[in-house]
Amino acid sequence: NLDLNQLRACSYSMMRAKRIPHVMGVEEEAVKLAQRWGADPELARRAGILHDCTKYYELPEQLDICEEYGVRLDALEQKAVKLLHSKTGACIARGVFGQPDAVYDAIFWHTTGKADMTTLEKVLYIADYMEPNRDFDGVERLRHLAYTDLDKAMLLGVEMTIQEMQQRQVPIHTNTLQARDWLRQHGV
Ligand code: DGI
Ligand code: FE
Ligand code: FE
Ligand code: FE
């Protein structure tokens, strides 16, 4: 099994250099959020290190990995390459780098979210959104909520994603909508 430095080296070697600071930021933020909210910081760290490891694979390769690992895809996923790196990243994290199911699940859901997420899944989703290198209108509010009310932070993140998809006229995935609906129904 690889130690953390080996895991980082492998993951960084799979991406363009400009993405490495983001991945380092997600690792650091995921550990802190895990400590704050009672998830396993070691698993959060591993999920952070590996979460975008397949980000630069092209569509055919993404589809091959999904096929190889038996990940079933809906119609939108089959053509939206940005929705695939979370699924293939999860497959590689578990299948190649030997990570446990909790790390697989956190990486798998880090782009869309879903209904009824675990704390580790929420931690990675939010860390990805507000790590120190992220800069957009509203990021300070998200950073505040991330440490005061994790579900409120999730709802804000999912709603901002939906708004941006609508502005860009990109179809919104059902898991993104289900994440929002679930958070609204559960008194956030
Ligand atoms: O991989 P990162 O850039 O760090 O961040 P991410 O994994 O959250 O991916 C963000 C991308 O995913 C962004 O280009 C928008 C896309 N995305 C997120 N939710 C949806 C989506 N794309 C579609 N079509 N539908 C969604 O619901
Ligand atoms: Fe990602
Ligand atoms: Fe994200
Ligand atoms: Fe990311």
Side-chain angles (χ1 to χ4, degrees):
N1 232 320
L2 300 180
D3 68 29
L4 288 173
N5 281 325
Q6 292 168 325
L7 214 55
R8 290 187 190 99
C10 287
S11 182
Y12 301 166
S13 76
M14 295 165 76
M15 58 189 64
R16 291 179 204 262
K18 67 173 185 191
R19 181 159 292 265
I20 295 173
H22 163 67
V23 174
M24 295 172 77
V26 173
E27 176 189 348
E28 177 189 308
E29 202 66 53
V31 169
K32 288 198 274 184
L33 285 169
Q35 286 165 342
R36 171 68 182 86
W37 297 111
D40 184 328
E42 197 54 35
L43 297 184
R45 182 181 295 287
R46 290 162 179 275
I49 291 169
L50 291 169
H51 82 283
D52 277 339
C53 70
T54 57
K55 183 81 179 179
Y56 292 99
Y57 291 11
E58 309 278 356
L59 183 62
E61 191 161 12
Q62 301 279 5
L63 294 173
D64 282 351
I65 296 170
C66 289
E67 169 102 31
E68 184 186 341
Y69 286 93
V71 176
R72 297 185 52 181
L73 301 174
D74 64 26
L76 175 55
E77 289 162 349
Q78 281 172 36
K79 55 194 179 120
V81 67
K82 283 182 177 159
L83 293 176
L84 293 180
H85 79 281
S86 40
K87 299 170 192 307
T88 55
C91 292
I92 300 299
R94 188 170 65 183
V96 176
F97 297 119
Q99 298 303 306
D101 291 348
V103 170
Y104 174 95
D105 289 330
I107 296 176
F108 195 96
W109 298 111
H110 89 265
T111 302
T112 59
K114 66 170 185 124
D116 201 6
M117 294 165 77
T118 66
T119 304
L120 189 68
E121 288 163 357
K122 293 173 186 171
V123 159
L124 185 64
Y125 184 97
I126 292 299
D128 184 42
Y129 226 121
M130 46 61 89
E131 57 86 10
N133 298 289
R134 294 286 201 203
D135 185 18
F136 53 87
D137 284 346
V139 71
E140 289 307 332
R141 167 124 185 99
L142 195 62
R143 288 191 178 119
H144 173 74
L145 283 177
Y147 286 92
T148 52
D149 188 327
L150 187 59
D151 281 333
K152 279 206 179 87
M154 279 299 306
L155 183 58
L156 179 61
V158 170
E159 284 179 334
M160 285 192 299
T161 297
I162 289 170
Q163 197 174 25
E164 192 180 330
M165 299 292 107
Q166 285 169 340
Q167 276 165 8
R168 285 166 42 197
Q169 306 208 19
V170 173
I172 300 156
H173 193 267
T174 47
N175 287 129
T176 306
L177 295 169
Q178 285 173 17
R180 179 193 63 187
D181 295 345
W182 192 91
L183 289 160
R184 282 184 178 166
Q185 275 166 22
H186 288 75
V188 177

